[in-house]
Amino acid sequence: MLLPVTLAAAAAAGILTIWLMFRIGAIRRAEEISVGDGGNEALIRRMRAQMNFVETTPFALFLIAVIEIAGKGGNWLAFVAGIFMLGRVAHAFGMDGKFGQGRFIGTIVTLLTLLGLAIVAALVAMGVM
């Protein structure tokens, strides 16, 4: 199979995107806000969580794909991809304020996984790996 880790990570990202959309939609329906944020803090937080996901996930997916294309992936890459996605879920819950440290945990996990993937990609590019 071609790029199984990338495909699984992209599928997880698609599902998480839909989940984030539903969370926003729930507040929109409950507060009757069809356009914009209506100054509703809960809606703003959920919209920001979704946007943060959209800002970071393409970089992770791209790095996962190029590492896998280079033949340097493996079980560790699937593990890192899964940890990244769990970090994004923690961040979303943290943005709600319901999981106190979730935003911090999600941010740190995202930062560290992106940094680790970038370092591996650089090492592969230099022929070290």
Side-chain angles (χ1 to χ4, degrees), residues 1-44:
M1 178 191 298
L2 183 64
L3 305 177
V5 176
T6 303
L7 286 170
I15 291 167
L16 285 176
T17 298
I18 293 167
W19 174 68
L20 291 166
M21 291 169 63
F22 275 119
R23 288 167 41 86
I24 291 168
I27 292 177
R28 287 191 180 284
R29 280 188 306 281
E31 301 295 326
E32 298 180 2
I33 303 169
S34 64
V35 178
D37 59 39
N40 183 295
E41 185 176 342
L43 180 56
I44 292 168

Side-chain angles (χ1 to χ4, degrees), residues 28-95:
R28 287 191 180 284
R29 280 188 306 281
E31 301 295 326
E32 298 180 2
I33 303 169
S34 64
V35 178
D37 59 39
N40 183 295
E41 185 176 342
L43 180 56
I44 292 168
R45 286 173 170 271
R46 286 193 179 179
M47 289 171 68
R48 197 52 224 141
Q50 182 188 34
M51 195 60 217
N52 190 269
F53 180 81
V54 169
E55 292 165 354
T56 58
T57 303
F59 290 102
L61 291 175
F62 179 75
L63 287 166
I64 290 165
V66 297
I67 290 167
E68 197 168 18
I69 288 167
K72 303 301 181 182
N75 291 336
W76 71 269
L77 189 59
F79 177 77
V80 170
I83 292 297
F84 176 84
M85 296 302 166
L86 289 174
R88 301 318 305 154
V89 170
H91 180 269
F93 281 128
M95 287 296 287

